[in-house]
């Protein structure tokens, strides 16, 4: 009698455990749960990629500055070169010798930046 009770209790416990495990897995496989899991994984992966990209950018910047310093030292460049003065175009030409009351507008030289003109 005791043996039957033991095996019956063991079977009931195994059935409850298996039912709980199956129900938990079914809840994990619902579309909402799968979408939430996928979104969480995507966020984690995106964060890791962002951290790696930022680290890579800092490494590139540091190595670039170090290499520029090496090149400047090798070439003997110790100060910044002076840049040429900016070009300015006169928008309105006003001469005191002109007796006209309206100013004469001067158009800037026309440079086309449309690359499709060549084709």
């Amino acid at each position: 009698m005791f043996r039957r009770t033991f095996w019956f209790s063991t079977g009931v416990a195994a059935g409850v455990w298996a039912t709980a495990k199956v129900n938990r897995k079914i809840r994990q496989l619902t579309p909402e749960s799968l979408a939430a899991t996928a979104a969480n994984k995507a966020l984690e992966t995106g964060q890791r990629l962002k951290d790696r990209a930022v680290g890579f950018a800092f490494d590139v910047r540091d190595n670039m500055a170090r290499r520029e310093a090496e090149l400047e030292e090798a070439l003997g460049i110790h100060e910044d070169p002076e840049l040429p003065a900016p070009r300015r175009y006169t928008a309105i030409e006003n001469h005191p010798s002109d007796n006209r009351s309206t100013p004469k507008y001067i158009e800037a030289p026309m440079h086309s930046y449309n690359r499709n003109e060549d084709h």
Side-chain angles (χ1 to χ4, degrees):
M1 176 84 176
F2 182 71
R3 194 185 262 180
R4 285 184 185 175
T5 306
F6 171 76
W7 287 113
F8 177 76
S9 300
T10 304
V12 168
V16 168
W17 176 79
T19 304
K21 191 148 181 100
V22 166
N23 284 335
R24 190 178 317 132
K25 192 53 116 174
I26 287 174
R27 267 187 263 117
Q28 286 178 353
L29 295 176
T30 60
E32 295 85 15
S33 178
L34 289 175
T37 304
N40 289 338
K41 295 284 185 184
L43 289 174
E44 290 172 9
T45 304
Q47 185 66 34
R48 276 188 305 212
L49 285 175
K50 185 190 111 184
D51 292 342
R52 287 181 184 172
V54 167
F56 177 72
F58 284 144
D59 289 345
V60 167
R61 187 181 305 160
D62 293 342
N63 290 330
M64 182 180 62
R66 185 179 324 122
R67 182 65 179 150
E68 283 180 0
E70 291 172 2
L71 290 173
E72 287 174 356
E73 183 179 328
L75 295 174
I77 302 172
H78 297 293
E79 57 187 55
D80 293 333
E82 188 162 329
L83 297 175
R87 296 180 185 163
R88 295 188 178 168
Y89 298 105
T90 307
I92 300 174
E93 184 179 308
N94 289 325
H95 292 291
S97 62
D98 277 343
N99 292 332
R100 293 179 279 172
S101 62
T102 59
K104 177 183 173 188
Y105 291 94
I106 298 175
E107 294 183 19
M110 199 57 188
H111 299 288
S112 173
Y113 295 106
N114 187 358
R115 293 183 165 267
N116 292 329
E117 287 182 354
D118 296 340
H119 303 287

